[in-house]
Amino acid sequence: MGHRWAFFLAFLLPCRALLAQGGCTLVLQGRVLDEHDRTPLAFADVVVPELHRSVQADDQGRFSLPGLCPGTYTLKVAHLDCTPVERTVQLDKDRTIELFLEHHAAELQEIEVARKRPDEHVGQAHAEIDREAMEAGAGRSLTEMLARVPGVTSLSSGPTIAKPMIHGLYGNRILTLNQGIRQEDQQWGNEHAPSLDPFSSDRITVVKGAASVQYGADAIGGVVITEPVELPRGPGLSGEVRGVGILNGRGGGTNAMLQGGVKGLTGFGWRVQGSGRYLGDSFAPHYILSNTGLREAGASASAGWHGRRMSAQVYYSWFGRKMGILKASHIGNLTDLRNAIASGRPWYVAPFTDSIGPPSQTVRHDLVRAEAAYRVSDLDQLVFTYGYQANSRQEYDLRRGGRSGTPALDLFLRTHTGDLVLKHFIGTKLHGRVGVSGSHQENYNVPGTGVRPLIPDYTEESGGVFVLEHLPVGKRLELEAGARYEATDLRVRRFDDANIYRTPEHRFSNHALTAGASWTVRDSLQLRTSIASAYRPPNVSELYSEGLHHGTATIELGDPTLGSERSLKGTFDLEGQWLHGRLYGALTVYGDRIDHYIYLRPDGYALTIRGAFPVFRYVATDAWLHGADLTLEYRLNGTWSLRDRSSIVRGRDRVRDEWLFLMPADRTENALVYRRPTLGAWRQLEVTLASTYILEQTRIPIGLDFAPPPGAYHLVGLGVSLVRPLKHGELRIGLQGNNLFNTAYRDYLDRFRYYADARGADLDLRVAYRFGKKD
């Protein structure tokens, strides 16, 4: 009971600030104008990041921000076809200012200048991770960045493998869009981390809801979108170089980007980018986590041209990773396996090394994307997008006869995708998109492993058609409705247990519907609500897995009789400011009914020629999930703030009448934040002292798991960042400490919690230099 009280006290701590009343009555107003001819820029966006507050200018470029406290604020101003700018404003009385943006002359005649961009996620709860937040996560994986968003957690297999979980859903229920293309490297199982470099983008959007209408299958639980970067459209060079040192693992990472345009070729831009990470063994508080090193590298290049009627862009990226698998997770016999789970300490601990031996994995992901757009009229645009992906994976095990260098699993996955979308207006208000999409995918097992394939060869083809429409009702209400139909054909090639060649075929057809609304009650308060159906055909790994999965050190068994999952999810999202802008709050409440919910269920142990391992079997049931996410931030004064981020999830098996397996525990993060816009020659100083508390997961199926859930734990972190403007750029420095008291703990969502503790104390130092034209 003590843990529960502690959780709810932490959850509600910032609400004490409601008792304080402030006199924040200042008004900042002004106009957003074109830098060249001082014409107003209609519907420009003005953001105050310190307050999580934004306002949109009217058709004359005018904006107003009432209810401000005295202090210094950063204004971020953006407008379609303009270069965004930042400006620091000192406010000690009501002020009226003018903000100037450089507009791209070739685009001045486009009708979109005078129209607000349609909301991509009307009614859907969503969150954005901007460039600065991504920079704070430099040296970390995509999943670790996403886990900072309330409602998003991490399903991991030790310190090297992690993938996002949104509102209790994970795996192939979370769609990842890489530069607008479906990331297709998740077809081989739940533990495979997304093979993409987050720094190939400068903004990540997380949609926390069923989004199958817009994005198709696999968006039943949510969508992670690495947004395509807006390329320069004029001459000049800009870029950045970043480095990070990481204590836990005794390694680091680097990232570099360069972009520009071509003089005399207005509308043309290009960008190149590369990054890498190198880590040795991670360490828990009391021992080394042996064989958990990591090697990672990625690169991307893009070029594009934007004209008045037409535009085109090409993009290529490559990403490679080699990672060690905790050696203590591979055990020789059933007795030792049970003893290892019961002992609380890994059976194998060696001195620190940066070398990687078996068991291990290597992955490679190549992506080619080409997009062309044609403006059919001033209001309508036709967009065609083609994507090609090649994914390869090798998994290595300790093998006799000197064969450890031969992969025990060697897979190659090739995917072609195409989308044709018409973005349109019907009349003066109704707008949306209608489109068709298709994909062709081939999976091959590369010969020579000497092991029966975990996943068979297969060919999968799918096609869909959708429509999604938005209708503004007045200035403050927007409605959304849409539908999608999609069909999938899966042809499998495999040998059965009797070594007879079989070619089973599965056909699935599904539909999805959505309805949503976004209501701006006032400038500082917005409500979103949606109800959406979604679907997901079973993945080939869920149908036909049969063998050892090295990434999780488990034996996984599929079921070829599984059918499609069907979901009906409702969400309610509230975001606003109160107390004259001093209190910011965001609340998401949701309920999700899923029929034929597929998951891996523990099913005893098995002894194989490669050792003893827990067995998990894919099964289906009917499920009900519900929960809430909360963010609160209260400005104590011009520099100090209190922040709370909390989430709860509940999941029930409606067939067995028990709690669902592998649901996240309740969690809350409370932080004391100090922000100072200027400090001598430095800018944007931010210091954050954070306290994260994770409760013990007590809502579990009785007697099902191999070990009881780990206890509650409490972690303390400290972050510092600041910026130094220079003559031709800016220097950005940050320090991030995690688990500062080196607390020993295990997380319920870590598949390796059976064998070892999680990572101990960590300290990251990052330095970045940005130069050239300001983004």
Side-chain angles (χ1 to χ4, degrees), residues 626-691:
H626 62 282
D629 311 326
L630 176 68
T631 298
L632 292 171
E633 182 160 350
Y634 181 72
R635 286 173 57 89
L636 299 172
N637 52 38
T639 55
W640 291 95
S641 299
L642 286 173
R643 185 182 67 211
D644 173 86
R645 295 171 177 163
S646 301
S647 62
I648 60 173
V649 181
R650 301 288 182 265
R652 291 290 296 181
D653 185 325
R654 291 155 42 210
V655 175
R656 295 180 177 86
D657 193 24
E658 64 182 13
W659 296 108
L660 280 177
F661 178 65
L662 214 61
M663 289 289 107
D666 297 343
R667 60 195 59 221
T668 184
E669 177 206 82
N670 289 277
L672 179 64
V673 184
Y674 176 80
R675 297 185 182 96
R676 187 165 178 174
T678 59
L679 183 65
W682 294 85
R683 301 288 186 271
Q684 300 177 31
L685 171 65
E686 182 170 315
V687 182
T688 303
L689 178 64
S691 164

Side-chain angles (χ1 to χ4, degrees), residues 14 29 200 241 286 775:
Q29 60 185 356
S200 61
V241 179
H286 304 301
D775 293 342

Side-chain angles (χ1 to χ4, degrees), residues 86-153:
E86 288 188 12
R87 177 172 169 181
T88 300
V89 177
Q90 179 68 40
L91 194 65
D92 51 20
K93 61 181 180 180
D94 293 348
R95 285 191 63 179
T96 299
I97 61 175
E98 292 182 335
L99 300 171
F100 295 97
L101 296 182
E102 182 180 0
H103 206 282
H104 301 286
E107 304 293 331
L108 283 175
Q109 301 303 315
E110 291 196 19
I111 195 70
E112 284 187 353
V113 171
R115 289 196 178 268
K116 179 182 176 182
R117 180 183 177 184
D119 191 338
E120 296 285 344
H121 310 291
V122 172
Q124 292 277 16
H126 62 277
E128 287 190 358
I129 302 174
D130 61 15
R131 187 175 180 180
E132 280 67 34
M134 292 177 65
E135 183 178 276
R140 298 302 176 189
S141 68
L142 172 67
T143 299
E144 289 173 300
M145 291 184 187
L146 298 175
R148 299 170 63 91
V149 176
V152 181
T153 48

Side-chain angles (χ1 to χ4, degrees), residues 415-416 437-442 458-464 486-491 505-508 537:
T415 309
H416 300 268
S437 61
S439 69
H440 175 87
Q441 185 173 90
E442 296 273 354
Y458 69 88
T459 300
E460 183 178 89
E461 294 172 335
S462 66
E486 187 165 290
T488 301
D489 183 71
L490 175 65
R491 301 185 296 276
E505 184 172 357
H506 302 262
R507 293 180 176 176
F508 307 96

Side-chain angles (χ1 to χ4, degrees), residues 23 69 81 162 177 236 300 303 326 335 388 395 446 468 482 488 512 594 666 687 706 763:
C69 304
D81 301 322
L177 289 180
S300 66
L326 180 71
T335 300
Y388 169 77
E395 298 188 358
V446 179
L468 188 65
T488 301
I594 305 177
D666 297 343
V687 182
F706 301 104
L763 191 66

Side-chain angles (χ1 to χ4, degrees), residues 25 70 79 84 89 271 278 304 337 347 376 412 422 436 449 513-515 518 533 573 587 603 609 650 690 739 747:
T25 59
H79 186 264
V89 177
R271 185 180 194 260
Y278 186 101
L337 175 60
W347 70 270
V376 181
F412 180 78
L422 176 64
V436 295
T449 64
L513 302 170
T514 186
S518 176
S533 65
D573 191 51
L587 173 67
D603 192 26
I609 193 172
R650 301 288 182 265
N739 192 5
D747 191 89

Side-chain angles (χ1 to χ4, degrees), residues 392-458:
S392 63
R393 171 180 293 270
Q394 295 81 37
E395 298 188 358
Y396 298 87
D397 199 2
L398 289 166
R399 306 177 74 179
R400 298 184 180 94
R403 295 185 300 151
S404 294
T406 300
L409 180 70
D410 196 347
L411 294 167
F412 180 78
L413 182 70
R414 180 173 58 204
T415 309
H416 300 268
T417 60
D419 298 272
L420 182 64
V421 178
L422 176 64
K423 302 178 181 179
H424 61 269
F425 274 81
I426 299 176
T428 59
K429 292 186 177 182
L430 184 65
H431 59 265
R433 57 186 65 190
V434 59
V436 295
S437 61
S439 69
H440 175 87
Q441 185 173 90
E442 296 273 354
N443 181 73
Y444 304 96
N445 280 275
V446 179
T449 64
V451 177
R452 185 178 179 88
L454 171 67
I455 299 170
D457 295 348
Y458 69 88

